[in-house]
Amino acid sequence: MFKFLVKRILWLIPVVLGVSVLIFTIMCFTPGDPARNALGADASQESIDEFNEKHGLNDPYLVRLGSFLKSTFPEFDLGTSYINGSSVSEQILSRLSYTLRITYIGILISIALGIPAGIIAATNQNTWKDSLSMVVSLFCASMPSFWFALLLVMFFALRLGWLPTVGVKSWTGYILPCVSIGIGGAASIARQTRSSMLEVIRQDYVTTAKAKGQSRSRIIWGHCLRNALIPVLTAIGGQMAVLVGSSLVCETIFSIPGIGSYLVTGVNQRDYPVVLGCVVILSLIFSLTMLCVDLMYAVVDPRFRNILKS
Amino acid sequence: MSEKDVLLSIENLVVEYSSDSETVHAVNDVSLQINKGQTLGLVGETGAGKTTIAKAIMRILPDPPARVTGGKIIMDDEDLLELKEDRMQKIRGNRISMIFQDPMTALNPTIVVGKQIMEAIALHEKVSSREACKKAEEMLEKVGIPKERYSDYPHQFSGGMKQRVIIAIALACNPELLLADEPTTALDVTIQAQVLDMMNELKQELGTSVLMITHDLGIVAETCDCVAVIYAGEIVEYGTAEEIFDHPLHPYTTGLFGSLPNMAKEGGRLKPIDGMMPDPTDLPEGCKFAPRCHYATEKCRQGRPELRNMGGSHVVRCTQR
Ligand SMILES: Nc1ncnc2c1ncn2[C@@H]1O[C@H](COP(=O)(O)OP(=O)(O)OP(=O)(O)O)[C@@H](O)[C@H]1O
Ligand code: SF4
Ligand SMILES: [Mg+2]
């Protein structure tokens, strides 16, 4: 178990490193002028040259990559923003909690809606409950989260006035963003839960449980659910990836001061240190979350515990 | 045999597995009686419908695709097929229990084996969960597994040990009727003997009746009072063990083991017969064995032969006998 953890944590290094190099390279070769963005459209040529010189933007690609990696990894220094000179690390630290809150509440909403919906669909297979939950989940899974966010704002914030349109001054501000990023995941998780539940219900050990005289509900909760959750965990892991992506957009829509909106601003303004810092942190969060998902396998599936031990 | 001694009687049972495209006629008009305290052997080739009959008694056939389209299963003057589900739950695992054929898949991989035994006890006996655990431990010991392994998961067990756990589950509540679906196939010979002894003990002690489904004629000879031979979902011959072993009459039965006079003593498996079982989605009109039978005549192919009494309890479904 300990060995497994150490191994997995060591694996984070190449993953985060690889992601950083990839993003750095993409940014280097995409058009855009950081200096003009930072200094304004009517800045003089001298000040632009001076800016480029100061931030090493005239250096060749490999030199820039080297200095980026050197300052980021051994020194954990994410640099300062081109635009306002603030420390990227400090910004990220102050924004981290918002992003964690909305992504984790989002995934919890996905799980809390998705798993019961899948169970209801599977245990009422081929009835209206099944059809209804599958139609709704197909609809939700194929809807982009930003569009859903806009619908929710229109209805609950503008039409009914129950919830704030933007900002997270109180907890009510979290409802719409979390629901809008969680709903797509809920739909996928529901579909996965349904199909793995149906798979499990056909297994011989379920017949054994029935032959003991157990009631249907006990069989579903006591025997089927845990086995059915194993593939659902994989789906939850996949949804985490999607969710981190949709949180970027949702933070912007709802003006949430998280890492996502910071990243989007950074991209728009070609503020390279901000973009890179955000990507490094997001990939780290994502990898750690996936590690937790993997550890969940061991909780659910005893066969996995053996793999951990060896 | 007087009416009173019958524990369970199957009358004209018909079971089909139907999908959109075809219907498998798995059990066709089967009638059988299981007497109190006796062991009835059910033998026949693979696909003959043996497991389907046992699952129909327990009402645990997968639905869909399985459907019981006719017949009755009478126990205590009640038709089990008509019972409400909650009453049936009180019978399953308690009065009737089943040992499953495939030990590799019959245990839940995410629950410790002890708990899988304990569940049955806690469900049917009015005991605290502590006592149920203790009884489950006793059951483990009884089937030859140290009770320290209560908290192990099925994947930590060998196939034979899993089979013993399944047997422990089935025996946990001292059933009146035990449906044993090839209970010893996964076991090696010494354990096989132990398991059979154990079942025998239960039979002596509590008067448990057993439906013994098996391919192993040695086991039939050793344990069964009566034998039913099933072919393509039909009983083709029925009688006491002596009648069947000493005077097999149906060509299918003789093909299986009648030609070897010392079969019963020497033990051994059913002998393969030339040809294949008929396609259960498209069974022949008359005698279902006719395509493989050396004695087949025109008459055999015309209508289904009736079961005819050959003296004693011996009946056979063949026009030529
Ligand atoms: N779930 C199912 N769906 C469709 N057909 C089935 C199903 N289960 C069994 N059958 C069919 O029903 C027939 C009888 O099957 P059954 O399992 O009762 O045979 P069996 O006598 O127990 O054979 P074996 O000795 O191999 O265990 C076979 O033709 C089989 O193909
Ligand atoms: S009825 Fe005819 S075909 Fe069928 S077993 Fe008897 S002799 Fe053979
Ligand atoms: Mg079978």
Side-chain angles (χ1 to χ4, degrees):
Chain A
M1 177 74 190
F2 181 71
K3 250 168 88 185
F4 172 83
L5 269 182
V6 170
K7 209 167 101 189
R8 283 298 304 267
I9 288 172
L10 287 180
W11 258 106
L12 292 180
I13 298 169
V15 168
V16 174
L17 210 66
V19 169
S20 320
V21 170
L22 190 71
I23 298 297
F24 186 88
T25 310
I26 291 174
M27 285 202 316
C28 262
F29 295 106
T30 40
D33 190 347
R36 285 241 178 260
N37 275 303
L39 303 175
D42 47 0
S44 67
Q45 189 59 40
E46 290 107 73
S47 57
I48 287 178
D49 290 342
E50 189 195 337
F51 180 92
N52 285 343
E53 196 58 39
K54 183 174 152 215
H55 293 101
L57 292 174
N58 293 329
D59 296 342
Y61 163 70
L62 283 179
V63 175
R64 287 168 59 195
L65 178 63
S67 69
F68 159 67
L69 291 179
K70 191 165 156 289
S71 66
T72 310
F73 290 104
E75 295 164 22
F76 293 112
D77 178 11
L78 297 174
T80 55
S81 161
Y82 290 166
I83 308 292
N84 53 24
S86 60
S87 155
V88 172
S89 313
E90 268 168 32
Q91 278 286 331
I92 284 178
L93 272 185
S94 72
R95 289 163 172 269
L96 189 61
S97 64
Y98 293 104
T99 298
L100 290 183
R101 233 171 274 156
I102 71 161
T103 43
Y104 286 134
I105 297 174
I107 198 78
L108 286 181
I109 288 174
S110 302
I111 294 169
L113 292 179
I115 291 180
I119 293 173
I120 290 170
T123 52
N124 296 285
Q125 195 194 2
N126 301 331
T127 65
W128 65 268
K129 287 182 198 162
D130 184 19
S131 318
L132 181 71
S133 50
M134 283 308 106
V135 167
V136 170
S137 75
L138 183 64
F139 177 72
C140 294
S142 37
M143 215 167 36
S145 65
F146 69 86
W147 185 65
F148 195 68
L150 293 175
L151 281 187
L152 287 180
V153 168
M154 260 166 57
F155 193 71
F156 288 101
L158 298 178
R159 167 83 57 92
L160 296 175
W162 289 352
L163 298 168
T165 42
V166 292
V168 282
K169 289 195 185 63
S170 75
W171 64 271
T172 50
Y174 284 103
I175 296 178
L176 293 184
C178 294
V179 168
S180 58
I181 66 171
I183 205 82
S188 309
I189 290 172
R191 299 181 77 78
Q192 177 63 61
T193 306
R194 174 181 184 270
S195 70
S196 69
M197 202 71 186
L198 287 178
E199 179 66 33
V200 166
I201 285 174
R202 290 197 287 114
Q203 298 294 314
D204 284 351
Y205 57 79
V206 175
T207 312
T208 309
K210 199 171 175 197
K212 282 178 208 167
Q214 290 191 303
S215 64
R216 193 176 149 78
S217 60
R218 260 183 116 127
I219 292 173
I220 298 286
W221 295 103
H223 282 268
C224 299
L225 185 59
R226 191 148 165 202
N227 289 286
L229 280 183
I230 298 166
V232 172
L233 276 179
T234 315
I236 291 175
Q239 281 312 309
M240 277 308 296
V242 177
L243 218 87
V244 169
S246 29
S247 74
L248 304 186
V249 183
C250 273
E251 282 182 15
T252 311
I253 292 176
F254 290 100
S255 302
I256 295 169
I259 297 176
S261 54
Y262 194 40
L263 174 62
V264 172
T265 328
V267 170
N268 286 338
Q269 302 178 329
R270 297 289 183 275
D271 197 346
Y272 293 165
V274 171
V275 174
L276 287 166
C278 290
V279 168
V280 169
I281 294 300
L282 287 177
S283 66
L284 205 62
I285 295 174
F286 178 69
S287 309
L288 286 173
T289 309
M290 291 310 268
L291 178 60
C292 295
V293 171
D294 281 357
L295 290 177
M296 286 299 293
Y297 279 109
V299 175
V300 176
D301 186 352
R303 285 162 294 187
F304 196 80
R305 280 172 230 163
N306 274 32
I307 301 172
L308 289 194
K309 276 188 205 124
S310 59
Chain B
M1 189 70 50
S2 74
E3 193 63 26
K4 206 166 114 247
D5 295 318
V6 175
L7 174 67
L8 181 127
S9 115
I10 302 173
E11 291 168 14
N12 309 100
L13 184 69
V14 183
V15 183
E16 292 170 353
Y17 292 94
S18 44
S19 66
D20 294 338
S21 52
E22 55 182 27
T23 302
V24 173
H25 300 279
V27 176
N28 305 304
D29 193 18
V30 162
S31 298
L32 278 176
Q33 286 179 356
I34 302 173
N35 299 323
K36 283 194 177 139
Q38 292 206 330
T39 299
L40 170 65
L42 188 57
V43 294
E45 272 169 291
T46 178
K50 306 181 295 293
T51 302
T52 306
I53 291 176
K55 287 188 175 171
I57 295 173
M58 295 279 268
R59 282 196 13 207
I60 52 173
L61 284 166
D63 177 19
R67 236 161 5 104
V68 176
T69 50
K72 291 178 182 165
I73 296 173
I74 308 287
M75 187 157 115
D76 288 345
D77 301 323
E78 278 185 303
D79 185 356
L80 296 186
L81 297 175
E82 303 280 324
L83 281 190
K84 288 241 169 58
E85 177 60 24
D86 59 338
R87 287 204 49 211
M88 197 62 210
Q89 281 168 9
K90 295 206 171 69
I91 293 178
R92 285 189 203 117
N94 187 21
R95 299 187 61 194
I96 308 178
S97 63
M98 182 159 172
I99 298 171
F100 289 91
Q101 191 170 4
D102 184 358
M104 303 315 281
T105 56
L107 291 175
N108 190 327
T110 58
I111 300 181
V112 298
V113 293
K115 179 154 186 258
Q116 300 195 43
I117 303 172
M118 185 274 258
E119 277 177 344
I121 300 165
L123 204 59
H124 297 297
E125 292 181 6
K126 289 180 188 62
V127 293
S128 69
S129 59
R130 275 271 297 283
E131 286 167 80
C133 284
K134 213 165 146 274
K135 178 127 195 263
E137 285 179 348
E138 281 166 24
M139 285 312 298
L140 274 177
E141 295 266 334
K142 208 165 172 180
V143 293
I145 296 173
K147 65 171 186 280
E148 289 70 34
R149 304 208 55 182
Y150 185 97
S151 305
D152 281 357
Y153 287 94
H155 72 268
Q156 294 162 300
F157 280 46
S158 71
M161 290 170 87
K162 283 184 203 167
Q163 183 67 302
R164 281 185 273 165
V165 173
I166 292 163
I167 292 169
I169 293 172
L171 298 184
C173 296
N174 302 326
E176 289 163 59
L177 172 60
L178 181 63
L179 309 172
D181 194 355
E182 310 202 15
T184 57
T185 322
L187 307 178
D188 60 43
V189 185
T190 40
I191 312 287
Q192 232 176 56
Q194 279 175 25
V195 165
L196 291 177
D197 283 348
M198 204 170 78
M199 286 170 61
N200 237 339
E201 234 169 72
L202 195 78
K203 197 170 135 184
Q204 305 292 335
E205 237 176 80
L206 304 159
T208 304
S209 310
V210 181
L211 178 68
M212 176 69 76
I213 298 173
T214 180
H215 284 132
D216 191 327
L217 294 180
I219 292 178
V220 178
E222 214 173 291
T223 62
C224 295
D225 302 294
C226 299
V227 181
V229 181
I230 182 169
Y231 184 78
E234 264 182 5
I235 303 295
V236 294
E237 186 162 8
Y238 171 88
T240 62
E242 293 82 50
E243 284 164 346
I244 299 286
F245 276 101
D246 298 342
H247 310 287
L249 290 175
H250 197 279
Y252 178 65
T253 319
T254 49
L256 281 179
F257 56 84
S259 52
L260 297 171
N262 287 328
M263 195 76 197
K265 291 184 195 85
E266 288 166 8
R269 301 248 147 188
L270 299 187
K271 289 278 169 279
I273 300 176
D274 293 342
M276 299 268 284
M277 269 243 307
D279 178 3
T281 59
D282 182 24
L283 291 171
E285 255 313 275
C287 173
K288 296 183 175 53
F289 188 58
R292 296 164 80 182
C293 181
H294 295 305
Y295 309 98
T297 62
E298 216 24 62
K299 191 169 164 218
C300 304
R301 294 195 177 85
Q302 264 150 16
R304 178 186 185 221
E306 290 303 313
L307 274 177
R308 284 186 304 133
N309 201 316
M310 307 307 288
S313 55
H314 199 168
V315 291
V316 61
R317 191 187 297 282
C318 174
T319 54
Q320 308 290 305
R321 302 284 161 167

